[in-house]
């Protein structure tokens, strides 16, 4: 029997040199899953070694305006010149760009462009005007012929249809959470005076859409009404721009409410510290007003941590019936759910059990299988 010719798939991993949160997880887990679960009809080609690119510090950390400009020039040069040259060299059947943007140039191959969410259209106030205009122009110029859009949830798909129309097919591929390998840090909790199941947890940047000031105020009300000794840990760095960054607001709020000993702000942490926090958390709280997916929900559930989340549609979709939700932006409802979870041990146990079951619906194998199916069965394949 004749074998099918291998489909060559080029995966663009350039953006890993600056990605820090959800897109970084997406790109790394996609690359890892492609290696771990190969398909006999697909040959993967990586533009960069994923680990080396993720560890590249050239454009990470605080930067001057000149450094930021140099990064944008480097990124533009990659997308519009170097990546098309790489396509010519490898002659792939399919190019996957997992960071919103595909080259503006015409290419001989099909494209799968991952647009994770519609934030740039939905929340213009959260981005500098010039940057948003520039980034949206790059997105649109890359949506060429023979392109299929991949997105993360049905919510994101419906949002993209609203803003981009239906000229190009849009496919939902559920992603996998980050695998926190290795041993958790045994010293992190005692160093920060945290007890097992003695704190609420949030992991992510301080972007405005995350609603972290709301969480801090709800936590203050929780303390006043419950007399609880539980603390609040907010892991992560500043928002992606001055306009989007709520970290100074959170820091000032913590100070004004006298919560300096109760709210822990450890910044970015390595996997061993994050793993220790998940293992010891009483509850994960996700108050975001807009998400394309919500990876931490699955990370928490996998560790047996119950989740309180806003009723934002993507979070409802990912959590299923395994989370405890509250009306987005309503401080009093979040406080009520925090109090309820502490008082009702049976509720906590049910959420833990449901969460573990729900987390099994999102695995690396299912993630790559959905991609493989899209690669092989796309309406653009013929």
């Amino acid at each position: 029997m004749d074998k099918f010719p291998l489909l060559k798939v080029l995966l663009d991993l350039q953006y890993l040199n600056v990605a820090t949160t959800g897109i970084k997880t997406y790109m790394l887990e996609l690359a890892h899953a492609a290696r771990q679960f190969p398909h006999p009809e697909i040959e993967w080609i990586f533009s960069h070694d994923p680990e080396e690119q993720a560890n590249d510090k050239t454009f990470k950390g605080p930067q001057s305006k000149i450094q930021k400009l140099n990064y944008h020039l480097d990124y533009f040069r990659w997308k519009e010149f170097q990546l098309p040259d790489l396509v010519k060299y490898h002659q792939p059947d399919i190019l996957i760009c997992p960071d919103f943007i595909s080259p503006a140039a015409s290419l001989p191959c099909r494209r799968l462009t991952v647009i994770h969410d519609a934030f740039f259209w939905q929340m213009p106030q959260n981005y500098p005007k010039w940057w948003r205009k520039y980034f949206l122009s790059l997105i649109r110029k890359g949506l060429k012929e023979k392109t299929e859009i991949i997105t993360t949830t049905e919510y994101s798909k419906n949002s993209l249809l609203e803003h981009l129309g239906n000229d190009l097919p849009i496919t939902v591929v559920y992603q996998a959470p980050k695998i926190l390998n290795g041993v958790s840090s045994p010293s992190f909790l005692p160093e920060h005076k945290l007890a097992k199941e003695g704190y609420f947890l949030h992991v992510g940047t301080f972007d405005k859409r995350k609603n972290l000031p709301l969480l801090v105020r709800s936590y203050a009300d929780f303390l006043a009404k419950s007399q609880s000794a539980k603390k609040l840990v907010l892991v992560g760095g500043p928002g992606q721009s001055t306009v989007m960054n709520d970290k100074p607001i959170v820091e000032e709020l913590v100070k004004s409410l006298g919560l300096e000993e109760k709210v822990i702000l450890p910044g970015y942490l390595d996997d061993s510290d994050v793993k220790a926090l998940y293992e010891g958390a009483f509850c994960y709280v996700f108050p975001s007003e807009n998400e394309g997916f919500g990876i931490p929900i699955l990370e928490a559930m996998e560790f047996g941590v119950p989740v309180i989340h806003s009723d934002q549609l993507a979070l409802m979709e990912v959590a299923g019936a395994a989370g405890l939700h509250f009306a987005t932006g309503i401080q009093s409802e979040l406080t009520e759910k925090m109090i309820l979870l502490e008082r009702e041990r049976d509720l906590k146990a049910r959420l833990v059990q449901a969460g573990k079951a729900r987390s099994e619906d999102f695995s690396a194998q299912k993630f790559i299988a959905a991609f493989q199916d899209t690669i092989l069965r796309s309406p653009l394949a013929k």
Side-chain angles (χ1 to χ4, degrees):
M1 180 181 294
D2 293 336
K3 291 184 178 180
F4 290 103
L6 289 177
L7 277 172
K8 294 172 68 174
V9 178
L10 175 60
L11 178 59
D12 174 15
L13 296 174
Q14 164 76 6
Y15 188 69
L16 276 174
N17 66 343
V18 293
T20 57
T21 52
I23 297 181
K24 178 182 179 181
T25 298
Y26 190 101
M27 296 172 73
L28 285 175
E29 294 308 313
L30 177 57
H32 294 162
R35 286 173 169 169
Q36 186 178 2
F37 303 104
H39 192 285
E41 297 175 42
I42 298 173
E43 175 189 355
W44 287 88
I45 303 165
F46 295 167
S47 66
H48 301 75
D49 177 89
E51 280 71 32
E52 289 181 6
Q53 190 69 0
N55 291 326
D56 183 349
K57 307 297 184 184
T58 305
F59 296 109
K60 287 190 174 81
Q63 297 176 10
S64 67
K65 290 183 178 180
I66 294 297
Q67 288 172 317
K68 291 179 180 178
L69 177 61
N70 285 338
Y71 165 70
H72 287 299
L73 291 173
D74 182 75
Y75 184 77
F76 182 82
R77 182 166 55 247
W78 167 258
K79 283 292 184 180
E80 305 306 339
F81 298 99
Q82 293 171 292
L83 184 54
D85 283 345
L86 204 60
V87 169
K88 290 179 183 178
Y89 177 78
H90 287 292
Q91 297 185 354
D93 299 285
I94 300 165
L95 170 66
I96 298 179
C97 293
D99 59 339
F100 289 81
I101 293 171
S102 178
S106 292
L107 301 174
C109 59
R110 289 169 49 209
R111 311 179 194 213
L112 298 180
T113 300
V114 183
I115 301 183
H116 298 256
D117 50 62
F119 297 164
F120 301 108
W121 294 276
Q122 294 171 323
M123 310 174 77
Q125 72 278 8
N126 284 2
Y127 305 93
K129 289 183 179 180
W130 69 267
W131 185 89
R132 176 177 173 271
K133 183 177 180 180
Y134 169 71
F135 197 77
L136 287 178
S137 71
L138 290 181
I139 292 176
R140 290 186 180 277
K141 288 176 181 178
L143 297 178
K144 313 285 286 187
E145 69 284 351
K146 293 196 284 187
T147 293
E148 182 171 354
I149 296 172
I150 306 295
T151 195
T152 54
T153 54
E154 292 295 335
Y155 164 75
S156 289
K157 177 179 178 177
N158 291 333
S159 300
L160 291 173
L161 285 170
E162 179 181 347
H163 294 282
L164 293 176
N166 59 1
D167 292 339
L168 297 174
I170 302 177
T171 299
V172 174
V173 172
Y174 286 135
Q175 63 193 92
K178 182 178 182 179
I179 303 300
L180 296 173
N181 293 315
V183 179
S184 62
S185 173
S187 61
F188 187 89
L189 296 190
E191 284 177 359
H192 290 81
K193 299 179 182 179
L194 295 169
K196 177 80 171 178
E197 295 200 12
Y199 55 91
F200 295 91
L201 177 64
H202 180 276
V203 179
T205 62
F206 283 72
D207 281 356
K208 286 188 179 299
R209 64 183 174 82
K210 299 290 186 178
N211 262 350
L212 294 181
L214 175 87
L215 175 52
V216 173
R217 288 191 292 268
S218 294
Y219 170 69
D221 286 347
F222 163 81
L223 292 180
K225 293 176 180 178
S226 68
Q227 304 303 310
S228 173
K230 287 184 171 58
K231 296 184 178 182
L232 173 63
V233 182
L234 304 177
V235 178
Q240 295 182 351
S241 72
T242 303
V243 176
M244 297 167 63
N245 183 25
D246 262 353
K247 191 171 185 183
I249 295 172
V250 168
E251 291 171 338
E252 181 59 34
L253 187 59
V254 168
K255 184 178 179 180
S256 67
L257 293 171
L259 297 175
E260 293 96 328
E261 299 300 317
K262 293 286 190 176
V263 179
I264 312 301
L265 303 170
Y268 282 119
L269 299 176
D270 62 26
D271 285 358
S272 63
D273 291 337
V274 173
K275 189 172 184 179
L277 281 168
Y278 273 127
E279 289 175 346
F282 169 74
C283 171
Y284 188 92
V285 187
F286 206 157
S288 183
E289 68 179 53
N290 202 359
E291 293 290 331
F293 189 79
I295 289 173
I297 282 182
L298 300 178
E299 291 177 344
M301 288 178 173
E302 195 170 19
F303 277 97
V305 178
V307 176
I308 298 174
H309 62 87
S310 65
D311 63 358
Q312 191 269 341
L313 292 177
L315 300 185
M316 295 289 288
E317 185 177 339
V318 171
L324 187 62
H325 63 268
F326 70 97
T328 302
I330 305 302
Q331 179 181 324
S332 59
E333 282 205 21
L334 175 53
T335 302
E336 288 172 7
K337 294 299 165 64
M338 295 169 78
I339 293 171
L340 178 65
L341 192 64
E342 185 177 50
R343 288 179 178 173
E344 301 289 340
R345 293 185 179 182
D346 289 346
L347 171 62
K348 183 175 184 292
R350 290 197 302 272
L351 288 173
V352 168
Q353 184 177 12
K356 286 184 176 179
R358 180 59 174 165
S359 70
E360 293 175 0
D361 293 334
F362 300 83
S363 67
Q365 189 167 8
K366 290 180 179 179
F367 182 28
I368 195 62
F371 248 104
Q372 290 164 345
D373 184 66
T374 303
I375 288 166
L376 295 169
R377 306 182 192 282
S378 167
L380 298 173
K382 297 181 180 179

